[in-house]
Amino acid sequence: MPTLLAIEVSPRHELSTSRRLTELFIDGWKAAHPGSHVVVRDLTKTPPPFVDLAWIGGAFTPREQHSPESAAAMKVSDELVAEIKAADDIVIGTPMFNFSIPAVLKAYIDQIVRVGVTVSPSNVGLLTGKKATIILASGGDFSPGSPVEKYNQASGYLRQVLAWIGIKDIEIILAGRARAGAAGETAVEAFGTAVRSAAASAPAIAA
């Protein structure tokens, strides 16, 4: 059964443009893949912990040597890793914060990038055969050719870190000027077609 992992990031919930566009993506993906399964990971409802000493100890020592604190830290990480491993397609709906990504999304990424688990000791990504669609909402226009294009640090980082763990089929939808119109209706209308097209083209070949 094809599985889509939808990662929601915005703290604005029903007022969020990225969430509304992600919802459009999910609807389109489900229509294109009958009998499929969608898992929603809302990082604002279950925020991943930041990497700390217990996490580092757990990630880089054998399990039989884990302290209770490290074992607890690895349990959270293992759950998130298992979730993304089981997905055929991934969609990340996120706002841009100060030219980059929200801290809660960075915390999530730090939980799933693990040597020997999602990337090999020789730096080969292990999560292959997946496609990721990133819906990046911003108040400004960071599209190619805009005066502030170079300030968009989020797109490059997300593309690089996902490729690092083996996800190289990546589509980024820049939903700029997301504050235009009441609660972002203008942005949703403007980028809805691109989102639906991305959802319909996602291969979702179950392993």
Side-chain angles (χ1 to χ4, degrees):
M1 175 189 299
T3 298
L4 170 68
L5 172 61
I7 301 169
E8 296 277 24
V9 182
S10 175
R12 298 184 70 228
H13 298 285
E14 68 275 5
L15 298 177
S16 165
T17 299
S18 64
R19 284 180 181 266
R20 295 177 66 186
L21 289 171
T22 302
E23 184 179 355
L24 287 179
F25 183 96
I26 293 172
D27 290 344
W29 188 89
K30 288 168 67 177
H33 305 95
S36 55
H37 179 55
V38 177
V39 175
V40 177
R41 169 63 63 173
D42 191 329
L43 300 184
T44 67
K45 292 181 178 179
T46 54
F50 291 111
V51 166
D52 57 11
L53 183 60
W55 191 97
I56 294 171
F60 295 100
T61 58
R63 289 188 182 272
E64 59 271 17
Q65 298 178 19
H66 286 181
S67 67
E69 294 78 12
S70 289
M74 288 298 95
K75 182 178 179 180
V76 174
S77 180
D78 287 344
E79 177 184 346
L80 297 176
V81 168
E83 200 170 66
I84 196 169
K85 278 186 173 182
D88 302 288
D89 291 327
I90 300 123
V91 60
I92 302 173
T94 182
M96 180 187 293
F97 281 2
N98 299 318
F99 312 119
S100 189
I101 60 174
V104 71
L105 180 55
K106 180 59 166 63
Y108 170 84
I109 290 169
D110 288 344
Q111 289 288 341
I112 65 169
V113 178
R114 284 171 53 190
V115 175
V117 180
T118 56
V119 61
S120 76
S122 58
N123 300 327
V124 176
L126 302 177
L127 302 187
T128 57
K130 305 178 187 296
K131 178 177 180 179
T133 302
I134 298 165
I135 300 170
L136 181 60
S138 61
D141 179 9
F142 295 88
S143 61
S146 76
V148 293
E149 174 191 0
K150 65 181 180 180
Y151 297 130
N152 174 11
Q153 304 298 313
S155 294
Y157 170 71
L158 289 171
R159 189 181 295 278
Q160 180 179 3
V161 76
L162 290 175
W164 183 253
I165 59 176
I167 305 171
K168 298 182 179 181
D169 187 358
I170 300 169
E171 180 172 358
I172 298 178
I173 299 171
L174 289 175
R177 301 188 184 279
R179 291 178 299 189
E185 279 85 356
T186 301
V188 171
E189 180 180 351
F191 298 102
T193 299
V195 168
R196 293 186 185 94
S197 176
S201 65
I205 301 173

